[in-house]
Amino acid sequence: MGQWAKRDDTIVHQEDPYNAEPTPAALNHRPVTPLDTFYSRNHGPIQQLDPHTWRLDVDGLVDRPLTLSLADLRQRFAQHSVVATLQCAGNRRAELSTVRPIPGQTLWGPAAISTAEWTGAALADVLGAAGLHQRGRHVAFVEADATARPDGVALFGGSIPMAKATAGEVLLAWQMNGVPLPVVHGAPVRVVVPGYIGARSVKWLRRITVQEHCSDNYFQAGDYRLLPADADPAEAAAGHGLPLGVAALNAAILTPDQGQSLPAGPVRVSGYACAGEDREVARVDVSVDGGQRWRQADLGTAPGPWAWRLWQLVVDLAPGPVKITARAWDSSATCQPERPEHLWNPLGYMNTAWSRVNVTCTAR
Amino acid sequence: MGQWAKRDDTIVHQEDPYNAEPTPAALNHRPVTPLDTFYSRNHGPIQQLDPHTWRLDVDGLVDRPLTLSLADLRQRFAQHSVVATLQCAGNRRAELSTVRPIPGQTLWGPAAISTAEWTGAALADVLGAAGLHQRGRHVAFVEADATARPDGVALFGGSIPMAKATAGEVLLAWQMNGVPLPVVHGAPVRVVVPGYIGARSVKWLRRITVQEHCSDNYFQAGDYRLLPADADPAEAAAGHGLPLGVAALNAAILTPDQGQSLPAGPVRVSGYACAGEDREVARVDVSVDGGQRWRQADLGTAPGPWAWRLWQLVVDLAPGPVKITARAWDSSATCQPERPEHLWNPLGYMNTAWSRVNVTCTAR
C-alpha cells in the first residue's frame, strides 16, 4: 500500500502537496473507482481534522447563521447518495505540454478523473435551514486552516452559482463508497459538486458563505482560468481569462497503453467519456485509421446521471503502427475538438481534444 | 417586399414549403432581428388560422384538461417576454455539403438563425393550471391541421423534457418584437423553446400533451437525428442516430462576405455566436492566418440570457488572399470543433465547425 492508502502503482506527481493519479489500467473497467485508486489533487497539505471538534459555519446572506457539528449534519438533514465523477481541470495536461511546455504545472495523464458514490447532506437543505436572502447569488466554500500550512499558501476555496447550489445534487459528503470519507479526500466533510471542475468540490470544508459575488479566493479568482494561448500566465492571477467552472465534454482511451506493442488481430479499446453539466454522453466513436472512418463504441450503462460512461469496442488491428483515436459526442450533438494544438493555453487547463493512443501491432 | 412580408433580398431556398434565410449582411449588427429578416423554416404549408376560433388543448397526464382560446391565454396567465435566439439544426448545412453531397435537404447558409423578443404565457404556468401528474416526463406539442395540407405530409410536432417545460423560459408566444405573431411565424400562438433546436418551437400550436415518453412525431422520432457518417439516411426514419434537442455552441462570420474582394488594411470582421442550453458565450477568437494566431473579438452585450452575441473585431489584412477564421468558446471552456469534414453526417445537421471566410485583398 502506498502513501495515503493508495495503490502501490499510483503515479505520484508530487509528494507535498500530494498530487497523484492511478494508472490508466487501474482506473479502467470499474464504474465506481475504489478508494485506493481515486485520484488526489491538492494545493496545500492534507489536513488531519478531529471529527469530534470539527465545526462547519454557514454565514453571509442568510437569516440564521449556523454552526454545525458532524453529528448535527447527520441528524438534522436527510442523507442523500450521488454517484458522481470528479475531474481535475488539468486532466490530460501532459498531452498539452507536448504541444508547448507548461512550466510549473502538474503534468497529469488521462487519469485525473475518478467516480465515487458520495453520501451526505444536500447543500440545498443546509442552505434552506439557514434561510437564504434574496440578494445571495453565489455560495462560497473555504477549507479549514491547516496547522502545518506553509507560509504563503492560500487557503483553498471557491464558489458555485446559487442555482447550482440549490439544485439538490450538490452534497456535503461524509462518506465515499459507503465508508467514512478518507482524510486524503477531505474528512470529515467535503463539498461534492457534480458537473463542475473538481476544484469546486472543496475538501476539509470549514465555512459556507452566501454572497452576492463569486469567490475571490485565489484558486477561483486568480487560478483555474483559461487564458488565450499568447497570454502571460501571470495574467491569470490578475483575473484575466475565462473562469472555469462548469465541466466540459471529455474522453480518453485507457487501454491499450500508449506505445504498447501487441499482436495484430482483434483488440479491445476502452476508456471513459464524461459529459459536462446538464449534458449526457450520447456517442463515442473509435477510429484506427487516424480519423477517416469511425465505429461506435458500446457505452455500457451509466452508474448514475452525474457519472462517466466506460465505453469499449473490439477493433481489428493490422500489423504495423496503428493510431487509435476516440472522440465523444454529447446530447447537444457537440463533438470534442480535434487537436490539442488548438487548445493549448498557458496554464494547461481543459484538454478536451480527441484521445489518441499509438500502438505497434506484430504479426501473429 | 417579398413573399410573407420578407425583405426583397431574402434567400428563398424553397417556395412550398417556404424555407428562406436573410443575407448575412441583413442579419448582422442587429441584436434583435426585424420581422422582415427573421428566417423561415417549414416542413408543411403556412397555416392561416382564425385567431377568434383557434383553441389550444392541454391534455394527457394532467388533472384538468384545458381548452383555451387566445383570450383565455391572455387573461388567465401572466404575460412574459423573453429575447431568444432560434436556430435551425440545419443552419450552415451548405458548408457541410461541400464536404460530401447532402441530397434532399435545404442547403442553408449561416443565416438560419435569428433573434426576437417573444411575448406570451409561460408554459410552466399553463401546465400548472392543468395540474401535472407525477408520471409526466415530457411535454409534446402538435401544430394545427392545415386545410390545404398535401397528402403524406405529417403534422409537425415534438416534445421537450419536463424539467425544461417547467423552467419558466419556455413561452406560448402570441407576440414577436412587440406586434402580433405573424402568420409565417406561427400565428396565433407558437411555442418558443430557448436553448433548443428551432424544431422544438412548434408553430401554429394546436395541442399540448403531457406524457411519459418523448414525442413519437415523425419530426422528432424519425428526423432531426445525427447519424454516423457512414449511415444510410433512411436509418433516421427508423429512429437511429443521436436525437437532437439541446442546442450546441455555434458561431459564424457574417462580414466580410465569402469570396469578397476588398482593400487591404483595417477590416471589420463581425458575426454571431450562440451558446447551447445552460451555457454562455465566453470568448470569440478571430484568426487571419488560418488558425496559427488568434485575437479576441469584442462580444458586445447580450440582448438577454437566451440570445446570441454579435461580436466584431477590426483586423489588419495584407494584400493577397486571406483566410479569416472565427471560433467561439462557451462558459464550460468548450471550443467549437475545427473542421466540417469531421462533422459531416447524412442529413447535414449541426455544422458547428469553426467559421471560415476567404477574401482577396487588393493593395490600396
mmCIF file of all heavy atoms in Angstrom, chain B residues 181-217:
data_model
loop_
_atom_site.group_PDB
_atom_site.id
_atom_site.type_symbol
_atom_site.label_atom_id
_atom_site.label_comp_id
_atom_site.label_asym_id
_atom_site.label_seq_id
_atom_site.Cartn_x
_atom_site.Cartn_y
_atom_site.Cartn_z
ATOM 1 N N LEU B 181 -47.942 37.950 -33.441
ATOM 2 C CA LEU B 181 -47.131 36.958 -34.144
ATOM 3 C C LEU B 181 -47.575 36.874 -35.604
ATOM 4 O O LEU B 181 -48.747 36.642 -35.887
ATOM 5 C CB LEU B 181 -47.320 35.599 -33.452
ATOM 6 C CG LEU B 181 -46.382 34.464 -33.826
ATOM 7 C CD1 LEU B 181 -44.954 34.758 -33.379
ATOM 8 C CD2 LEU B 181 -46.875 33.170 -33.178
ATOM 9 N N PRO B 182 -46.670 37.074 -36.569
ATOM 10 C CA PRO B 182 -47.057 36.972 -37.986
ATOM 11 C C PRO B 182 -47.468 35.533 -38.335
ATOM 12 O O PRO B 182 -47.015 34.575 -37.710
ATOM 13 C CB PRO B 182 -45.772 37.360 -38.729
ATOM 14 C CG PRO B 182 -44.942 38.115 -37.742
ATOM 15 C CD PRO B 182 -45.268 37.519 -36.410
ATOM 16 N N VAL B 183 -48.317 35.433 -39.339
ATOM 17 C CA VAL B 183 -48.782 34.122 -39.809
ATOM 18 C C VAL B 183 -47.601 33.209 -40.123
ATOM 19 O O VAL B 183 -47.567 32.041 -39.723
ATOM 20 C CB VAL B 183 -49.675 34.310 -41.056
ATOM 21 C CG1 VAL B 183 -49.855 32.983 -41.800
ATOM 22 C CG2 VAL B 183 -51.027 34.877 -40.646
ATOM 23 N N VAL B 184 -46.605 33.724 -40.826
ATOM 24 C CA VAL B 184 -45.489 32.881 -41.266
ATOM 25 C C VAL B 184 -44.675 32.355 -40.076
ATOM 26 O O VAL B 184 -43.970 31.351 -40.194
ATOM 27 C CB VAL B 184 -44.582 33.644 -42.267
ATOM 28 C CG1 VAL B 184 -43.804 34.753 -41.564
ATOM 29 C CG2 VAL B 184 -43.639 32.708 -42.994
ATOM 30 N N HIS B 185 -44.810 33.006 -38.932
ATOM 31 C CA HIS B 185 -44.063 32.561 -37.752
ATOM 32 C C HIS B 185 -44.935 31.847 -36.728
ATOM 33 O O HIS B 185 -44.507 31.618 -35.605
ATOM 34 C CB HIS B 185 -43.297 33.728 -37.131
ATOM 35 C CG HIS B 185 -42.184 34.212 -38.015
ATOM 36 N ND1 HIS B 185 -41.111 33.413 -38.352
ATOM 37 C CD2 HIS B 185 -41.988 35.381 -38.675
ATOM 38 C CE1 HIS B 185 -40.304 34.075 -39.168
ATOM 39 N NE2 HIS B 185 -40.805 35.266 -39.382
ATOM 40 N N GLY B 186 -46.192 31.501 -37.132
ATOM 41 C CA GLY B 186 -46.961 30.585 -36.289
ATOM 42 C C GLY B 186 -48.212 31.125 -35.653
ATOM 43 O O GLY B 186 -48.698 30.537 -34.685
ATOM 44 N N ALA B 187 -48.765 32.220 -36.164
ATOM 45 C CA ALA B 187 -49.945 32.827 -35.552
ATOM 46 C C ALA B 187 -51.102 31.830 -35.460
ATOM 47 O O ALA B 187 -51.236 30.975 -36.326
ATOM 48 C CB ALA B 187 -50.388 34.040 -36.385
ATOM 49 N N PRO B 188 -51.941 31.902 -34.457
ATOM 50 C CA PRO B 188 -51.892 32.954 -33.435
ATOM 51 C C PRO B 188 -50.904 32.681 -32.294
ATOM 52 O O PRO B 188 -50.471 33.616 -31.661
ATOM 53 C CB PRO B 188 -53.329 32.964 -32.901
ATOM 54 C CG PRO B 188 -53.842 31.587 -33.141
ATOM 55 C CD PRO B 188 -53.169 31.093 -34.389
ATOM 56 N N VAL B 189 -50.516 31.424 -32.065
ATOM 57 C CA VAL B 189 -49.653 31.098 -30.921
ATOM 58 C C VAL B 189 -48.668 30.011 -31.317
ATOM 59 O O VAL B 189 -49.048 29.001 -31.920
ATOM 60 C CB VAL B 189 -50.498 30.626 -29.703
ATOM 61 C CG1 VAL B 189 -49.591 30.118 -28.575
ATOM 62 C CG2 VAL B 189 -51.383 31.752 -29.182
ATOM 63 N N ARG B 190 -47.411 30.223 -30.978
ATOM 64 C CA ARG B 190 -46.391 29.207 -31.181
ATOM 65 C C ARG B 190 -45.660 28.943 -29.874
ATOM 66 O O ARG B 190 -45.717 29.739 -28.935
ATOM 67 C CB ARG B 190 -45.374 29.644 -32.224
ATOM 68 C CG ARG B 190 -44.408 30.717 -31.707
ATOM 69 C CD ARG B 190 -43.328 31.069 -32.716
ATOM 70 N NE ARG B 190 -42.475 29.924 -33.003
ATOM 71 C CZ ARG B 190 -41.574 29.915 -33.973
ATOM 72 N NH1 ARG B 190 -41.409 30.982 -34.751
ATOM 73 N NH2 ARG B 190 -40.828 28.847 -34.176
ATOM 74 N N VAL B 191 -44.965 27.829 -29.834
ATOM 75 C CA VAL B 191 -44.064 27.545 -28.726
ATOM 76 C C VAL B 191 -42.718 28.203 -29.022
ATOM 77 O O VAL B 191 -42.295 28.269 -30.177
ATOM 78 C CB VAL B 191 -43.852 26.026 -28.548
ATOM 79 C CG1 VAL B 191 -43.082 25.719 -27.272
ATOM 80 C CG2 VAL B 191 -45.184 25.290 -28.552
ATOM 81 N N VAL B 192 -42.068 28.726 -27.999
ATOM 82 C CA VAL B 192 -40.687 29.197 -28.115
ATOM 83 C C VAL B 192 -39.877 28.509 -27.022
ATOM 84 O O VAL B 192 -40.143 28.697 -25.827
ATOM 85 C CB VAL B 192 -40.587 30.733 -27.983
ATOM 86 C CG1 VAL B 192 -39.126 31.175 -27.976
ATOM 87 C CG2 VAL B 192 -41.342 31.416 -29.117
ATOM 88 N N VAL B 193 -38.927 27.661 -27.458
ATOM 89 C CA VAL B 193 -38.089 26.909 -26.512
ATOM 90 C C VAL B 193 -36.660 27.432 -26.620
ATOM 91 O O VAL B 193 -35.872 26.948 -27.430
ATOM 92 C CB VAL B 193 -38.126 25.393 -26.801
ATOM 93 C CG1 VAL B 193 -37.372 24.634 -25.703
ATOM 94 C CG2 VAL B 193 -39.561 24.882 -26.912
ATOM 95 N N PRO B 194 -36.307 28.441 -25.816
ATOM 96 C CA PRO B 194 -34.936 28.957 -25.859
ATOM 97 C C PRO B 194 -33.933 27.862 -25.495
ATOM 98 O O PRO B 194 -34.207 27.044 -24.615
ATOM 99 C CB PRO B 194 -34.934 30.051 -24.777
ATOM 100 C CG PRO B 194 -36.373 30.380 -24.542
ATOM 101 C CD PRO B 194 -37.121 29.117 -24.796
ATOM 102 N N GLY B 195 -32.807 27.830 -26.180
ATOM 103 C CA GLY B 195 -31.760 26.866 -25.839
ATOM 104 C C GLY B 195 -31.898 25.521 -26.518
ATOM 105 O O GLY B 195 -31.061 24.646 -26.320
ATOM 106 N N TYR B 196 -32.968 25.331 -27.299
ATOM 107 C CA TYR B 196 -33.168 24.075 -28.026
ATOM 108 C C TYR B 196 -33.122 24.354 -29.532
ATOM 109 O O TYR B 196 -33.252 25.504 -29.967
ATOM 110 C CB TYR B 196 -34.521 23.452 -27.645
ATOM 111 C CG TYR B 196 -34.448 22.568 -26.413
ATOM 112 C CD1 TYR B 196 -33.958 23.065 -25.204
ATOM 113 C CD2 TYR B 196 -34.853 21.242 -26.451
ATOM 114 C CE1 TYR B 196 -33.882 22.265 -24.080
ATOM 115 C CE2 TYR B 196 -34.786 20.431 -25.324
ATOM 116 C CZ TYR B 196 -34.296 20.939 -24.146
ATOM 117 O OH TYR B 196 -34.220 20.143 -23.036
ATOM 118 N N ILE B 197 -32.944 23.302 -30.321
ATOM 119 C CA ILE B 197 -33.010 23.469 -31.776
ATOM 120 C C ILE B 197 -34.368 24.060 -32.137
ATOM 121 O O ILE B 197 -35.380 23.804 -31.468
ATOM 122 C CB ILE B 197 -32.787 22.138 -32.529
ATOM 123 C CG1 ILE B 197 -33.846 21.090 -32.165
ATOM 124 C CG2 ILE B 197 -31.384 21.602 -32.275
ATOM 125 C CD1 ILE B 197 -33.853 19.863 -33.079
ATOM 126 N N GLY B 198 -34.391 24.835 -33.227
ATOM 127 C CA GLY B 198 -35.611 25.527 -33.639
ATOM 128 C C GLY B 198 -36.806 24.603 -33.820
ATOM 129 O O GLY B 198 -37.953 25.013 -33.609
ATOM 130 N N ALA B 199 -36.537 23.343 -34.188
ATOM 131 C CA ALA B 199 -37.629 22.412 -34.487
ATOM 132 C C ALA B 199 -38.552 22.166 -33.293
ATOM 133 O O ALA B 199 -39.690 21.722 -33.474
ATOM 134 C CB ALA B 199 -37.063 21.079 -34.980
ATOM 135 N N ARG B 200 -38.095 22.448 -32.091
ATOM 136 C CA ARG B 200 -38.960 22.220 -30.924
ATOM 137 C C ARG B 200 -39.919 23.391 -30.681
ATOM 138 O O ARG B 200 -40.854 23.272 -29.895
ATOM 139 C CB ARG B 200 -38.122 21.981 -29.667
ATOM 140 C CG ARG B 200 -37.289 20.728 -29.715
ATOM 141 C CD ARG B 200 -38.126 19.454 -29.808
ATOM 142 N NE ARG B 200 -37.241 18.322 -29.995
ATOM 143 C CZ ARG B 200 -36.957 17.780 -31.185
ATOM 144 N NH1 ARG B 200 -37.531 18.219 -32.282
ATOM 145 N NH2 ARG B 200 -36.117 16.766 -31.265
ATOM 146 N N SER B 201 -39.675 24.517 -31.333
ATOM 147 C CA SER B 201 -40.528 25.701 -31.162
ATOM 148 C C SER B 201 -41.674 25.624 -32.164
ATOM 149 O O SER B 201 -41.706 26.341 -33.159
ATOM 150 C CB SER B 201 -39.684 26.970 -31.353
ATOM 151 O OG SER B 201 -38.795 27.142 -30.255
ATOM 152 N N VAL B 202 -42.608 24.722 -31.879
ATOM 153 C CA VAL B 202 -43.679 24.360 -32.821
ATOM 154 C C VAL B 202 -44.579 25.569 -33.096
ATOM 155 O O VAL B 202 -45.041 26.241 -32.165
ATOM 156 C CB VAL B 202 -44.481 23.164 -32.268
ATOM 157 C CG1 VAL B 202 -45.699 22.859 -33.143
ATOM 158 C CG2 VAL B 202 -43.569 21.935 -32.135
ATOM 159 N N LYS B 203 -44.823 25.822 -34.374
ATOM 160 C CA LYS B 203 -45.678 26.938 -34.801
ATOM 161 C C LYS B 203 -47.132 26.475 -34.898
ATOM 162 O O LYS B 203 -47.424 25.297 -34.920
ATOM 163 C CB LYS B 203 -45.180 27.452 -36.152
ATOM 164 C CG LYS B 203 -43.762 28.049 -36.094
ATOM 165 C CD LYS B 203 -43.384 28.803 -37.357
ATOM 166 C CE LYS B 203 -43.016 27.905 -38.497
ATOM 167 N NZ LYS B 203 -41.656 27.371 -38.448
ATOM 168 N N TRP B 204 -48.052 27.458 -35.031
ATOM 169 C CA TRP B 204 -49.491 27.171 -35.191
ATOM 170 C C TRP B 204 -49.931 26.106 -34.185
ATOM 171 O O TRP B 204 -50.573 25.110 -34.528
ATOM 172 C CB TRP B 204 -49.788 26.716 -36.636
ATOM 173 C CG TRP B 204 -49.198 27.658 -37.631
ATOM 174 C CD1 TRP B 204 -49.562 28.939 -37.851
ATOM 175 C CD2 TRP B 204 -48.095 27.397 -38.513
ATOM 176 N NE1 TRP B 204 -48.769 29.500 -38.814
ATOM 177 C CE2 TRP B 204 -47.855 28.575 -39.238
ATOM 178 C CE3 TRP B 204 -47.292 26.275 -38.751
ATOM 179 C CZ2 TRP B 204 -46.848 28.668 -40.184
ATOM 180 C CZ3 TRP B 204 -46.293 26.358 -39.693
ATOM 181 C CH2 TRP B 204 -46.068 27.546 -40.406
ATOM 182 N N LEU B 205 -49.593 26.337 -32.940
ATOM 183 C CA LEU B 205 -49.779 25.320 -31.890
ATOM 184 C C LEU B 205 -51.255 24.966 -31.730
ATOM 185 O O LEU B 205 -52.124 25.835 -31.667
ATOM 186 C CB LEU B 205 -49.225 25.876 -30.562
ATOM 187 C CG LEU B 205 -49.299 24.934 -29.371
ATOM 188 C CD1 LEU B 205 -48.415 23.711 -29.583
ATOM 189 C CD2 LEU B 205 -48.871 25.674 -28.099
ATOM 190 N N ARG B 206 -51.531 23.678 -31.638
ATOM 191 C CA ARG B 206 -52.902 23.205 -31.511
ATOM 192 C C ARG B 206 -53.107 22.391 -30.239
ATOM 193 O O ARG B 206 -54.184 22.410 -29.647
ATOM 194 C CB ARG B 206 -53.230 22.324 -32.731
ATOM 195 C CG ARG B 206 -54.576 21.621 -32.700
ATOM 196 C CD ARG B 206 -55.702 22.623 -32.796
ATOM 197 N NE ARG B 206 -56.990 21.964 -32.660
ATOM 198 C CZ ARG B 206 -57.614 21.752 -31.500
ATOM 199 N NH1 ARG B 206 -57.061 22.135 -30.362
ATOM 200 N NH2 ARG B 206 -58.795 21.163 -31.477
ATOM 201 N N ARG B 207 -52.066 21.652 -29.818
ATOM 202 C CA ARG B 207 -52.255 20.713 -28.714
ATOM 203 C C ARG B 207 -50.955 20.558 -27.927
ATOM 204 O O ARG B 207 -49.875 20.490 -28.508
ATOM 205 C CB ARG B 207 -52.680 19.348 -29.273
ATOM 206 C CG ARG B 207 -52.965 18.269 -28.222
ATOM 207 C CD ARG B 207 -53.421 16.966 -28.888
ATOM 208 N NE ARG B 207 -54.621 17.152 -29.689
ATOM 209 C CZ ARG B 207 -55.871 17.091 -29.205
ATOM 210 N NH1 ARG B 207 -56.088 16.830 -27.928
ATOM 211 N NH2 ARG B 207 -56.896 17.284 -30.016
ATOM 212 N N ILE B 208 -51.127 20.515 -26.601
ATOM 213 C CA ILE B 208 -50.013 20.238 -25.691
ATOM 214 C C ILE B 208 -50.386 18.984 -24.912
ATOM 215 O O ILE B 208 -51.444 18.957 -24.278
ATOM 216 C CB ILE B 208 -49.794 21.406 -24.710
ATOM 217 C CG1 ILE B 208 -49.407 22.686 -25.466
ATOM 218 C CG2 ILE B 208 -48.750 21.054 -23.659
ATOM 219 C CD1 ILE B 208 -49.337 23.926 -24.571
ATOM 220 N N THR B 209 -49.543 17.959 -24.971
ATOM 221 C CA THR B 209 -49.849 16.700 -24.303
ATOM 222 C C THR B 209 -48.727 16.341 -23.331
ATOM 223 O O THR B 209 -47.557 16.289 -23.727
ATOM 224 C CB THR B 209 -50.035 15.556 -25.334
ATOM 225 O OG1 THR B 209 -51.057 15.942 -26.264
ATOM 226 C CG2 THR B 209 -50.428 14.258 -24.646
ATOM 227 N N VAL B 210 -49.111 16.118 -22.089
ATOM 228 C CA VAL B 210 -48.140 15.675 -21.079
ATOM 229 C C VAL B 210 -48.107 14.156 -21.110
ATOM 230 O O VAL B 210 -49.158 13.508 -21.028
ATOM 231 C CB VAL B 210 -48.543 16.195 -19.686
ATOM 232 C CG1 VAL B 210 -47.551 15.707 -18.636
ATOM 233 C CG2 VAL B 210 -48.624 17.716 -19.693
ATOM 234 N N GLN B 211 -46.928 13.593 -21.268
ATOM 235 C CA GLN B 211 -46.835 12.142 -21.470
ATOM 236 C C GLN B 211 -45.574 11.569 -20.833
ATOM 237 O O GLN B 211 -44.703 12.306 -20.385
ATOM 238 C CB GLN B 211 -46.889 11.835 -22.973
ATOM 239 C CG GLN B 211 -45.867 12.587 -23.798
ATOM 240 C CD GLN B 211 -46.168 12.530 -25.305
ATOM 241 O OE1 GLN B 211 -47.288 12.810 -25.755
ATOM 242 N NE2 GLN B 211 -45.169 12.144 -26.069
ATOM 243 N N GLU B 212 -45.531 10.234 -20.800
ATOM 244 C CA GLU B 212 -44.381 9.579 -20.160
ATOM 245 C C GLU B 212 -43.159 9.550 -21.068
ATOM 246 O O GLU B 212 -42.030 9.558 -20.595
ATOM 247 C CB GLU B 212 -44.753 8.148 -19.760
ATOM 248 C CG GLU B 212 -45.702 8.095 -18.565
ATOM 249 C CD GLU B 212 -45.956 6.672 -18.102
ATOM 250 O OE1 GLU B 212 -45.086 6.111 -17.408
ATOM 251 O OE2 GLU B 212 -47.030 6.135 -18.434
ATOM 252 N N HIS B 213 -43.397 9.498 -22.375
ATOM 253 C CA HIS B 213 -42.287 9.317 -23.301
ATOM 254 C C HIS B 213 -42.141 10.523 -24.216
ATOM 255 O O HIS B 213 -43.082 11.291 -24.399
ATOM 256 C CB HIS B 213 -42.508 8.042 -24.121
ATOM 257 C CG HIS B 213 -42.649 6.836 -23.246
ATOM 258 N ND1 HIS B 213 -41.580 6.314 -22.551
ATOM 259 C CD2 HIS B 213 -43.736 6.104 -22.889
ATOM 260 C CE1 HIS B 213 -42.002 5.284 -21.829
ATOM 261 N NE2 HIS B 213 -43.303 5.139 -22.005
ATOM 262 N N CYS B 214 -40.962 10.669 -24.803
ATOM 263 C CA CYS B 214 -40.776 11.795 -25.713
ATOM 264 C C CYS B 214 -41.616 11.576 -26.972
ATOM 265 O O CYS B 214 -42.138 10.491 -27.224
ATOM 266 C CB CYS B 214 -39.304 12.026 -26.005
ATOM 267 S SG CYS B 214 -38.445 10.647 -26.725
ATOM 268 N N SER B 215 -41.766 12.629 -27.741
ATOM 269 C CA SER B 215 -42.691 12.633 -28.874
ATOM 270 C C SER B 215 -42.371 11.542 -29.888
ATOM 271 O O SER B 215 -41.207 11.321 -30.231
ATOM 272 C CB SER B 215 -42.622 13.997 -29.568
ATOM 273 O OG SER B 215 -43.437 14.001 -30.717
ATOM 274 N N ASP B 216 -43.424 10.869 -30.382
ATOM 275 C CA ASP B 216 -43.230 9.925 -31.484
ATOM 276 C C ASP B 216 -43.592 10.571 -32.825
ATOM 277 O O ASP B 216 -43.715 9.891 -33.836
ATOM 278 C CB ASP B 216 -44.011 8.628 -31.262
ATOM 279 C CG ASP B 216 -45.502 8.875 -31.104
ATOM 280 O OD1 ASP B 216 -45.944 10.043 -31.226
ATOM 281 O OD2 ASP B 216 -46.239 7.901 -30.848
ATOM 282 N N ASN B 217 -43.729 11.895 -32.818
ATOM 283 C CA ASN B 217 -43.964 12.620 -34.077
ATOM 284 C C ASN B 217 -42.786 12.379 -35.021
ATOM 285 O O ASN B 217 -41.629 12.368 -34.602
ATOM 286 C CB ASN B 217 -44.115 14.124 -33.783
ATOM 287 C CG ASN B 217 -44.393 14.925 -35.046
ATOM 288 O OD1 ASN B 217 -43.488 15.208 -35.826
ATOM 289 N ND2 ASN B 217 -45.653 15.274 -35.253
#
